[in-house]
Amino acid sequence: TFFSTYNKQWGEAQAALMDLLQQENPDTPPKPEKDRLAAFQLLATMYIKYIQIFRKLEQCYDQIVHPQKRRILRHVLDGTMGRILELKHEMVNLEFSEFHYFDDVLSDLKLTPNDVEIPIPKYFINEKMETLKEREKLLGKILAKLGPQEKDDQKEEIKMSLDDAIRLIQVHERARQGRLRAKFMKEIREQEERERNAQTRGPPTLDPDVAAVRIQKVWKGFAQRRKTKDEREKEMIFIGMAPPPPATNVKNTPQALALKTEAQRRVTQNNYEQEYQQALGTIRDKIKDAEGPDIKETMMDQIRQWFIECRDATGKFPEYPDEDDGGSALIFKEKTPEEVEAELNDEDGKKGKKDKKGKKDKKDKKKDKKGKKDKKGKKGKGGDDDEEEEGWKMEPSNFTPAIGEGTEKYRSVWMTREEKDNFSQKHDAELIKEEKRKEVEEEIRLQVDELMRTELKNLKAAVDRDKGKKGKGKKSGKKKKKKGKKSGKKGKKKKKDKDLTPDRTIESLYEELVMNGIIVRCPQMRLSDFEGEYSYLGTTLRQANIEPMPSLSDVRRLVTEFGILPLGSQAVHEQAPLTKSILLAGPRGTGKKMLVQAICAETGANMFDLTAANIAGKYPGKDGLKMLIHLVFKVGRELQPSVIYIGDCERMVKKKIPKTDPTDPKRLKKELPKAMKGVKSDDRLLLVGTSRCPFDGEMKPLTSLYGRIILIPRPDYASRHLLWRRLILKSNGVITNQLDISSLSKVTDGYTPGHMHTAIQQVLTDRRIQTLSKKPLQAVEFIAPLARIDPIYKEEEEAFKAWYAKTPLGKKRAKAAQADDDDGGGKGGKGKKGKKGGKKKGKKKKK
């Protein structure tokens, strides 16, 4: 069956998850790891295994059409995604670096870099496609009102007089006729020469048999050479050393047909989901009509029986449980009547004690926290032997309970379920009945509770009226207290939030921001368009005490982990370690803005452009600035996810700004950090800054505003080789053996993807593309346009490296490395505390 592949894949992923959960939650708690390298190996192995599971689950969730299976899959998928982010943050805290290298772990597990590429779940976009289309329509309408932008005015037409135009055409036409005349004269001369030679030689005297053999010889040689050439090309394509020829009919390729099938399955998913939602209502109504009266009768009989049992055991009728405590659901728990009665009588006393205890407990907790902080401080100093023995421990996870819950549901429901009759993979009615029966019982229980309360009241009135009055008083007192508490909380919330635009709708605020150019239309850029090869020597260089420059593949991974995955899923964002802001730092042309656009496109986020040049002259004055920040954050929260983009962000924290600069880049320096402090885990807002020269700004304010710093390097040889091939093919170029990409990659050291793209655009014009079949591309053609562009010299790269070493994480990494050297390599590495401790001990020894 068509769904068996994905069911099997889901089963494999769940089996791997069960193994990992056992490893994470063993029966005996694991001992703290003292060796930092061993701790990192453990984390890296788990991280890679979770990524493999995540890849399988993402594919299954995208292609399985069964609506009930998809609900469990989604739960496990979000949990796995969150766990990957938690492990990433653990690795950052352990290694003091955003970039990690797993080449040794990959070789141990016999995996390729493509096997651990983090996919971006397609449901980020697919599940809110309609709202995105509506937003795009609204944006289009608002931009249409504005009319054409100023950029079009810059292209001025070159004017030419009529006489000059005629003269130019005449010159070209005369030249064309001259070339044709010269060609005809040449052909006539060659013909005359051939006739003259034929007359002097006389008729041919060659034997016909000899002539035939010669013709055969030449033809056979030509045919064999052509055959050998074709076979060599096929072999090179087969072993992956040459690209396959471009398909003549793109629609009938296996890849195109697979994509078409996937798209059809997504349509089927929507249809089945609608059927499932309808079935929920119809099945519930059927159960209510068919089984409702019987359920009501049995409940009432059970409650009456309970009345009698309590009366017999205690000599009085019981108090009916409050709705807040669960109503008659409490009665059906496995308890004796005496226990229930005792619980109800003791409730008021317990509540009073709890209030008193609560205050004490809070004080005690504060004391405990202070004590723990003091202990942590001591750990850093490295004084106590007991603390040294602790080592590194993994933090408890917020996501393993969710993964365990989903895994348990899979094991109990879907693992052994027989589905021969459900070939089309529509919803399972039996499962819906089980769920809805509980809902119907709950609804009927509320009705029964009301009836039985009145019945109990009548019984008590007949037997003992005084007790009934006391019970009423107590209940009303409780309710009043609760109301008081709630109103107090509401009052506090209102004081915190000051709304500067209480009377305006979100649509009007959105339109205002678009009209002012703050909300920008984002091009549909995919993160996969940010090409880059994997760094295969990262671990080897680190072992040799050389800090490697990250590759473009590592940058793509970090943008996915810190930016795209948390923004795309609300469930993940709320519980994963919070990343409020990212700084993308790198030389010109490395693709910083492209990455920002990719984050917006992959998550369907709004892009707010707060670059100094863009907001210059808009919302002037202090009140205007406050209004701007308020609008951005209010609209951003309402239409989340949202990305706030600031280009050349180091100018905001520069010491000196030239007086000639009209953009006032320091305008947001105070207000933006204040607003960012208010961003919580519920708000899917991300601040992304880009910088060509971050070393021009002050380090402290820059690093306090941007929590994560991603350094984008100039591409290495492997990435350049990949980029040249991909960019030429994207620009409709054809790669042949005559194009020496290896040499071109070697020569273009220092050039960024932006430079390469510019050179390819200049070489591959429409006219040049048409002549590719006769005159193939050569590497030399790209040298001239590249020579007009300045490359990124090694000095600039070293400046970035030196600046990155001065960031908080860079400093911690240097300290950790020094501590490892002082302690002989392994003892000092125990996360933050162990490293500091190791360093100070080394100093004492030197003294």
Side-chain angles (χ1 to χ4, degrees):
T1 56
F2 75 90
F3 57 83
S4 62
T5 306
Y6 292 106
N7 276 344
K8 188 181 174 186
Q9 192 168 306
W10 184 20
E12 287 169 3
Q14 288 288 4
L17 263 180
M18 287 173 197
D19 294 342
L20 271 177
L21 287 173
Q22 281 180 352
Q23 190 182 335
E24 286 208 55
N25 303 318
D27 298 331
T28 56
K31 290 180 182 178
E33 186 59 65
K34 293 182 183 181
D35 186 1
R36 186 164 60 89
L37 292 173
F40 179 73
Q41 288 287 320
L42 174 71
L43 275 175
T45 309
M46 283 180 68
Y47 172 78
I48 286 168
K49 283 180 180 175
Y50 268 115
I51 288 174
Q52 286 181 286
I53 292 165
F54 176 48
R55 285 170 68 85
K56 287 180 180 176
L57 289 175
E58 196 279 322
Q59 257 187 333
C60 292
Y61 184 70
D62 183 48
Q63 289 301 297
I64 283 177
V65 294
H66 198 299
Q68 288 154 306
K69 284 182 184 177
R70 293 186 84 241
R71 273 159 174 73
I72 296 174
L73 260 169
R74 173 67 179 274
H75 196 55
V76 179
L77 181 68
D78 283 347
T80 310
M81 209 191 308
R83 188 69 189 122
I84 288 169
L85 298 185
E86 282 183 336
L87 289 170
K88 175 67 184 178
H89 283 262
E90 284 264 1
M91 288 192 289
V92 171
N93 294 336
L94 186 69
E95 281 233 306
F96 303 116
S97 172
E98 272 100 0
F99 296 97
H100 308 293
Y101 304 98
F102 316 108
D103 37 307
D104 56 338
V105 182
L106 289 182
S107 63
D108 291 343
L109 296 172
K110 293 183 174 56
L111 298 171
T112 64
N114 290 334
D115 293 332
V116 291
E117 186 73 33
I118 298 179
I120 294 157
K122 295 175 188 69
Y123 81 80
F124 286 178
I125 297 294
N126 292 344
E127 290 192 0
K128 53 179 181 179
M129 188 63 81
E130 289 180 14
T131 54
L132 288 175
K133 282 178 182 174
E134 285 173 16
R135 197 190 295 168
E136 189 61 29
K137 275 184 191 175
L138 179 62
L139 191 60
K141 282 179 188 175
I142 298 165
L143 292 173
K145 283 183 195 174
L146 287 169
Q149 301 297 306
E150 294 176 4
K151 290 177 184 176
D152 299 338
D153 301 338
Q154 293 169 2
K155 297 175 184 176
E156 293 180 4
E157 291 182 7
I158 300 166
K159 291 180 181 177
M160 186 185 283
S161 66
L162 187 64
D163 293 341
D164 290 341
I166 292 167
R167 199 173 293 115
L168 187 66
I169 292 166
Q170 283 177 342
V171 167
H172 281 280
E173 181 58 24
R174 283 175 189 146
R176 187 184 71 82
Q177 288 178 4
R179 281 194 297 274
L180 278 175
R181 201 176 298 112
K183 187 184 174 187
F184 290 142
M185 291 303 294
K186 187 183 177 186
E187 286 174 0
I188 291 164
R189 262 191 238 103
E190 285 174 352
Q191 183 64 25
E192 286 175 355
E193 185 69 29
R194 278 195 295 273
E195 287 172 4
R196 203 181 299 117
N197 290 339
Q199 285 173 3
T200 52
R201 283 193 206 120
T205 54
L206 192 65
D207 185 15
D209 293 337
V210 176
V213 170
R214 282 192 184 178
I215 291 167
Q216 284 175 353
K217 182 183 171 185
V218 171
W219 168 250
K220 282 178 181 176
F222 167 73
Q224 187 59 43
R225 280 191 296 275
R226 187 171 65 180
K227 188 180 175 185
T228 308
K229 186 187 173 189
D230 289 346
E231 283 178 356
R232 187 185 292 141
E233 283 178 0
K234 282 177 184 174
E235 185 186 358
M236 297 301 275
I237 290 166
F238 178 71
I239 63 174
M241 295 296 288
T248 49
N249 189 356
V250 182
K251 287 182 181 177
N252 290 334
T253 57
Q255 291 88 341
L257 292 170
L259 289 171
K260 191 178 176 184
T261 309
E262 286 178 8
Q264 283 173 347
R265 283 207 190 121
R266 290 187 194 111
V267 174
T268 311
Q269 278 174 8
N270 291 333
N271 296 337
Y272 284 6
E273 180 62 32
Q274 287 171 6
E275 287 178 22
Y276 173 68
Q277 293 298 339
Q278 287 172 356
L280 289 175
T282 52
I283 289 172
R284 185 178 181 282
D285 294 341
K286 281 179 185 176
I287 290 171
K288 196 174 179 183
D289 295 341
E291 300 177 23
D294 293 338
I295 294 169
K296 191 173 181 181
E297 279 299 318
T298 51
M299 273 189 183
M300 289 175 84
D301 289 343
Q302 283 174 335
I303 293 168
R304 285 191 189 109
Q305 183 66 27
W306 177 66
F307 290 165
I308 295 161
E309 284 177 9
C310 285
R311 174 75 175 174
D312 293 343
T314 59
K316 58 181 178 177
F317 284 114
E319 289 290 337
Y320 208 91
D322 281 346
E323 203 54 57
D324 297 337
D325 298 328
S328 58
L330 278 177
I331 301 162
F332 301 127
K333 285 181 183 176
E334 293 179 1
K335 289 181 181 178
T336 61
E338 290 85 3
E339 284 174 342
V340 175
E341 182 65 27
E343 273 183 12
L344 292 169
N345 290 336
D346 293 345
E347 260 182 13
D348 296 328
K350 281 182 182 177
K351 279 179 185 176
K353 286 176 186 177
K354 274 181 189 175
D355 293 338
K356 290 176 184 178
K357 277 184 183 177
K359 292 173 185 177
K360 286 181 184 178
D361 289 344
K362 282 177 188 176
K363 288 177 185 177
D364 293 338
K365 280 178 186 176
K366 282 179 185 177
K367 285 177 186 176
D368 290 343
K369 281 180 185 176
K370 283 180 185 177
K372 282 178 187 176
K373 282 178 187 175
D374 295 338
K375 282 180 187 176
K376 283 182 183 178
K378 285 174 188 175
K379 285 179 197 175
K381 288 169 189 172
D384 298 335
D385 296 332
D386 297 337
E387 301 300 343
E388 258 187 47
E389 285 176 12
E390 279 193 11
W392 173 85
K393 277 185 183 178
M394 194 182 288
E395 293 292 322
S397 169
N398 293 331
F399 291 96
T400 44
I403 298 170
E405 197 179 304
T407 306
E408 190 54 45
K409 274 188 185 175
Y410 168 77
R411 194 189 291 166
S412 59
V413 179
W414 296 109
M415 193 171 173
T416 53
R417 202 171 191 85
E418 191 59 58
E419 288 190 282
K420 282 180 183 175
D421 299 334
N422 190 8
F423 179 77
S424 59
Q425 287 290 283
K426 292 188 177 183
H427 60 265
D428 193 323
E430 287 303 315
L431 287 173
I432 297 175
K433 282 178 184 175
E434 286 173 23
E435 287 175 19
K436 291 297 166 187
R437 196 171 277 115
K438 288 175 187 173
E439 276 186 34
V440 169
E441 281 178 7
E442 187 63 27
E443 192 180 317
I444 290 170
R445 187 184 62 74
L446 293 174
Q447 296 171 6
V448 168
D449 279 2
E450 284 186 23
L451 291 170
M452 297 312 290
R453 273 197 186 91
T454 52
E455 194 172 312
L456 182 64
K457 190 179 173 185
N458 294 336
L459 282 168
K460 284 187 177 182
V463 177
D464 195 357
R465 289 176 188 179
D466 298 336
K467 284 184 181 179
K469 286 175 188 177
K470 286 175 186 177
K472 282 180 193 175
K474 281 178 185 176
K475 281 178 190 175
S476 61
K478 284 176 196 171
K479 283 176 186 176
K480 279 177 187 176
K481 279 180 186 177
K482 283 178 186 175
K483 281 179 187 176
K485 283 178 187 175
K486 282 179 187 175
S487 61
K489 282 180 186 174
K490 280 181 186 176
K492 282 180 186 176
K493 280 185 183 176
K494 282 177 187 175
K495 283 178 186 176
K496 284 181 184 176
D497 301 331
K498 287 184 180 179
D499 195 351
L500 299 176
T501 52
D503 304 326
R504 293 182 60 184
T505 60
I506 291 296
E507 286 77 11
S508 68
L509 299 177
Y510 181 82
E511 186 172 349
E512 184 184 322
L513 288 171
V514 174
M515 296 287 271
N516 283 314
I518 305 296
I519 292 179
V520 185
R521 176 181 264 164
C522 230
Q524 287 303 305
M525 197 70 67
R526 295 287 157 212
L527 193 69
S528 54
D529 296 335
F530 186 82
E531 306 277 3
E533 190 55 272
Y534 187 79
S535 176
Y536 292 94
L537 289 173
T539 310
T540 314
L541 289 171
R542 274 195 171 172
Q543 284 170 353
N545 289 329
I546 301 166
E547 186 60 31
M549 278 301 276
S551 71
L552 297 182
S553 170
D554 297 322
V555 170
R556 191 170 63 236
R557 181 184 291 275
L558 281 191
V559 168
T560 307
E561 288 167 336
F562 291 144
I564 294 173
L565 294 185
L567 269 187
S569 169
Q570 183 69 39
V572 173
H573 195 274
E574 282 178 3
Q575 291 192 312
L578 185 60
T579 302
K580 294 182 183 180
S581 50
I582 299 173
L583 171 61
L584 300 171
R588 64 190 185 281
T590 45
K592 297 181 291 295
K593 193 165 185 183
M594 178 185 175
L595 284 171
V596 180
Q597 291 167 349
I599 292 171
C600 295
E602 294 284 13
T603 57
N606 293 294
M607 184 171 166
F608 297 85
D609 189 354
L610 294 185
T611 306
N614 189 45
I615 59 169
K618 296 168 187 174
Y619 297 96
K622 277 190 177 180
D623 293 338
L625 183 62
K626 280 182 182 175
M627 179 57 79
L628 170 65
I629 295 290
H630 165 74
L631 288 177
V632 167
F633 279 84
K634 185 177 179 180
V635 175
R637 281 191 175 98
E638 283 292 325
L639 304 176
Q640 55 187 337
S642 300
V643 171
I644 300 164
Y645 163 65
I646 299 177
D648 297 326
C649 60
E650 84 286 343
R651 293 172 67 220
M652 197 167 87
V653 291
K654 255 187 176 180
K655 283 184 181 177
K656 289 182 181 178
I657 289 165
K659 291 178 182 177
T660 52
D661 191 348
T663 56
D664 187 18
K666 284 197 172 184
R667 199 175 163 206
L668 294 169
K669 191 176 178 181
K670 287 183 180 177
E671 290 296 324
L672 187 64
K674 272 186 199 173
M676 286 306 296
K677 280 178 185 174
V679 174
K680 294 173 185 173
S681 56
D682 299 345
D683 308 320
R684 281 190 288 160
L685 295 174
L686 183 70
L687 172 66
V688 185
T690 62
S691 175
R692 283 186 188 178
C693 36
F695 27 80
D696 288 354
E698 289 183 66
M699 179 63 78
K700 198 173 179 182
L702 194 68
T703 51
S704 63
L705 181 57
Y706 296 98
R708 295 287 170 209
I709 296 167
I710 301 176
L711 189 63
I712 308 175
R714 55 182 194 169
D716 55 3
Y717 171 78
S719 291
R720 288 197 301 277
H721 195 280
L722 180 74
L723 281 162
W724 276 117
R725 296 180 78 89
R726 297 281 171 87
L727 291 173
I728 287 169
L729 289 171
K730 274 183 187 175
S731 302
N732 298 320
V734 178
I735 295 171
T736 60
N737 291 332
Q738 293 182 0
L739 178 60
D740 188 358
I741 290 179
S742 184
S743 300
L744 184 61
S745 306
K746 188 73 179 168
V747 169
T748 51
D749 186 12
Y751 287 97
T752 59
H755 298 154
M756 292 178 194
H757 184 70
T758 307
I760 289 166
Q761 291 298 315
Q762 288 177 12
V763 171
L764 284 172
T765 57
D766 292 339
R767 189 184 178 91
R768 182 71 187 88
I769 289 166
Q770 287 166 5
T771 60
L772 283 173
S773 55
K774 296 173 187 174
K775 188 185 171 187
L777 266 179
Q778 289 186 324
V780 183
E781 295 178 61
F782 297 103
I783 300 301
L786 282 170
R788 291 191 283 272
I789 303 168
D790 286 331
I792 306 302
Y793 294 107
K794 194 143 194 186
E795 290 77 14
E796 190 173 343
E797 191 175 10
E798 289 299 324
F800 273 98
K801 235 177 173 179
W803 171 80
Y804 188 68
K806 290 176 187 173
T807 59
L809 267 184
K811 284 179 181 176
K812 284 178 184 175
R813 180 155 185 80
K815 279 183 186 178
Q818 192 180 340
D820 284 352
D821 292 342
D822 291 348
D823 287 0
K827 291 177 184 176
K830 292 175 281 182
K832 293 179 186 179
K833 301 158 194 171
K835 284 162 192 166
K836 286 181 187 174
K839 190 187 169 192
K840 296 206 171 185
K841 271 196 166 186
K843 283 185 181 177
K844 284 177 186 177
K845 282 177 188 175
K846 283 174 188 176
K847 283 176 187 177

